[in-house]
């Protein structure tokens, strides 16, 4: 048995052929359009046609009548006004950050005091549940043996204790001598992939002296923020504060206003590090052989070149004044990575430092990704015909 013809399978070309055979007056485009729009197959074909030009809409836009193009201009002008309102919103957010900055600073200062051993936290301040406490409770329960076993254990432990007293005493003394939270910020940098790539092995002894990272918001031109890396006095350089400043733009670029997606970093400047003799980890000496063209003699020369180091972070490439086209691809990539790192340290690392130290912040990010993947998968299986909103 032949299947019934599906009226929706008709294409635009099929309908055009039918119309050519009908008595339609030349130039009666309205009648043609009316008949086309009544046919579901034609509507589907038109939709497919429009979908095929997404990503390169210029052909379709150029084919529109002048009156439609005029209306598009009105929409673009409205879009520009929307973007200006969005810029005002982000400026208000910046003012709100300034308002709450003192509250954050007071808490961050307490954190710094504990990390750097400037102050020992009280029992009340340490009253926070943790997984280690549950393990300790289990250990305590295991120690509570019946009375019949207590005597045997007492004799045994007294003998073992006499042997191990020396070792336990040394360990206890070492624990008592540990001040603050050693290598707090170095551990954070090593835990986070984006930052661990910057830290070289020869940087680690220096990073162990890092006691705090502070964010300073600038509300006067040039607006932006600074990251202050505060070190304890050390043998490597004379400064105790290394600064990285980022300048931001809160308004859309007049040359390309529709590219605005919120505040963006447009420039960054570092600081000079006064290295002690023989301690500069940002440079290295290499030996190179040179041959004399005429005499054929060779000599070995020593040349100083830049070495991979976290501390190159404080010597970023300069942003050329003027058009962005003057920035070559390599510098543009370096600046892009630098801006991303600075933003990440400000928005994530500084506010949640202890969670990156313990790894909880990283684990939470991983779980969020997995939950999103599972949710997307189940949605796709459970609702195959549902349109996804982009």
């Amino acid at each position: 048995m032949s299947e019934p013809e599906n009226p929706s399978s008709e294409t635009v070309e099929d309908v055009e052929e039918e119309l050519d055979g009908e008595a339609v007056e030349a130039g009666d485009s309205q009648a043609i359009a009316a008949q086309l729009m009544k046919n579901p197959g034609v509507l589907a074909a038109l939709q497919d046609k429009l979908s095929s030009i997404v990503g390169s809409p210029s052909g379709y836009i150029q084919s529109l009548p002048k009156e439609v193009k005029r209306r598009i201009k009105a929409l673009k002008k409205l879009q520009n006004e929307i973007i200006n309102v969005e810029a005002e919103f982000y400026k208000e957010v910046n003012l709100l950050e300034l308002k709450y900055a003192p509250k954050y600073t007071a808490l961050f200062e307490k954190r710094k005091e504990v990390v750097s051993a400037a102050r020992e936290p009280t029992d009340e301040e340490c009253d926070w549940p943790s997984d280690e406490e549950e393990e300790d409770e289990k250990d305590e329960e295991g120690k509570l043996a019946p009375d019949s076993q207590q005597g045997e254990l007492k004799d045994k432990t007294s003998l073992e204790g006499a042997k191990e007293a020396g070792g336990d005493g040394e360990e206890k003394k070492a624990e008592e001598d540990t001040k603050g939270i050693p290598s707090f910020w170095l551990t954070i940098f090593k835990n986070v992939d984006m930052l661990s790539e910057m830290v070289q092995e020869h940087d680690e002894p220096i990073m162990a002296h890092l006691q705090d990272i502070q964010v300073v918001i600038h509300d006067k031109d040039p607006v932006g923020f600074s990251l202050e890396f505060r070190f304890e006095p050390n043998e490597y350089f004379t400064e105790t504060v290394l600064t990285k400043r980022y300048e931001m733009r809160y308004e859309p670029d007049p040359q390309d206003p529709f590219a605005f997606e919120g505040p963006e970093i447009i420039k960054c400047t570092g600081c000079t590090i006064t290295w002690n003799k023989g301690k500069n980890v940002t440079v290295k000496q290499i030996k190179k052989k040179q041959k004399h063209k005429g005499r054929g003699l060779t000599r070995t020369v020593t040349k100083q070149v830049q070495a991979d180091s976290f501390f190159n972070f404080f010597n970023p490439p300069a942003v050329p004044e003027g058009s962005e086209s003057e920035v070559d691809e390599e510098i543009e990539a370096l600046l892009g990575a630098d801006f991303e790192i600075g933003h990440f340290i400000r928005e994530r690392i500084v506010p949640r430092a202890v969670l990156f130290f313990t790894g909880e912040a990283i684990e939470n990010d991983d779980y969020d990704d997995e939950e999103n993947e599972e949710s997307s998968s189940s949605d796709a299986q459970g609702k195959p015909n549902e349109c996804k909103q982009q």
Side-chain angles (χ1 to χ4, degrees), residues 45-57:
L46 284 173
Q47 187 175 4
D48 290 341
K49 184 68 175 176
L50 291 174
S51 299
S52 66
I53 62 175
V54 172
S56 56

Side-chain angles (χ1 to χ4, degrees), residues 49 64 181 197 272 353-354:
K49 184 68 175 176
L64 293 172
I181 303 180
E197 294 174 358
T272 301
V354 67

Side-chain angles (χ1 to χ4, degrees), residues 208-219:
H209 294 286
L210 180 60
Q211 293 185 318
D212 197 25
I213 302 176
Q214 297 180 3
V215 177
V216 179
I217 302 174
H218 305 290
D219 59 339

Side-chain angles (χ1 to χ4, degrees), residues 5 7 23 31-32 94 96 111 129 159 163 168 174 191 197 237 240 270 282 289 311 338 351 358 363 368 384:
E5 185 176 351
I32 296 174
N94 187 53
L96 198 60
R111 180 178 69 191
L159 292 172
K163 296 177 181 178
D168 290 344
N191 282 346
E197 294 174 358
F237 45 74
T240 55
T282 64
K289 289 186 177 181
F311 292 91
D338 192 305
T358 61
E363 291 172 6
D368 287 343

Side-chain angles (χ1 to χ4, degrees), residues 159-280:
L159 292 172
E160 293 177 351
K163 296 177 181 178
E164 300 177 1
D168 290 344
E170 291 177 2
E171 290 180 7
K172 187 174 181 181
K173 187 176 184 302
E175 289 180 2
E176 291 175 352
D177 290 341
T178 302
K179 304 298 183 182
I181 303 180
S183 302
F184 180 78
W185 292 98
L186 171 59
T187 303
I188 292 172
F189 272 69
K190 293 175 73 173
N191 282 346
V192 180
D193 290 341
M194 181 191 297
L195 304 179
S196 65
E197 294 174 358
M198 302 168 62
V199 180
Q200 308 300 313
E201 187 175 351
H202 52 247
D203 293 324
E204 293 186 14
I206 312 175
M207 295 292 288
H209 294 286
L210 180 60
Q211 293 185 318
D212 197 25
I213 302 176
Q214 297 180 3
V215 177
V216 179
I217 302 174
H218 305 290
D219 59 339
K220 303 280 180 68
D221 286 334
V223 296
F225 66 94
S226 292
L227 299 175
E228 294 184 353
F229 292 73
R230 297 184 171 272
F231 291 82
E232 63 182 350
N234 59 80
E235 62 182 293
Y236 298 95
F237 45 74
T238 60
E239 291 83 7
T240 55
V241 180
L242 302 181
T243 304
K244 185 72 170 286
R245 174 158 184 163
Y246 291 90
E247 294 182 19
M248 300 187 69
R249 178 168 57 203
Y250 285 85
E251 304 85 8
D253 184 354
Q255 303 297 324
D256 189 13
F258 296 150
F260 181 75
E261 294 183 354
E264 61 177 336
I265 298 172
I266 56 174
K267 186 179 180 181
C268 64
T269 53
C271 66
T272 301
I273 302 177
T274 309
W275 294 95
N276 293 328
K277 186 176 181 180
K279 299 296 184 179
N280 189 349

Side-chain angles (χ1 to χ4, degrees), residues 134-175:
E134 295 179 3
E135 293 176 3
D136 292 342
E137 288 177 3
K138 291 179 181 179
D139 291 340
E140 289 295 330
E141 291 175 0
K143 292 177 181 177
L144 298 176
D147 293 340
S148 59
Q149 299 177 10
Q150 289 286 345
E152 298 175 7
L153 290 172
K154 186 175 181 180
D155 294 337
K156 186 177 180 181
T157 54
S158 61
L159 292 172
E160 293 177 351
K163 296 177 181 178
E164 300 177 1
D168 290 344
E170 291 177 2
E171 290 180 7
K172 187 174 181 181
K173 187 176 184 302
E175 289 180 2

Side-chain angles (χ1 to χ4, degrees), residues 117-141:
R119 181 178 65 86
E120 188 66 24
T122 65
D123 290 341
E124 183 181 355
E125 290 174 322
C126 296
D127 184 17
W128 187 261
S130 64
D131 295 336
E132 289 79 4
E133 286 181 356
E134 295 179 3
E135 293 176 3
D136 292 342
E137 288 177 3
K138 291 179 181 179
D139 291 340
E140 289 295 330
E141 291 175 0

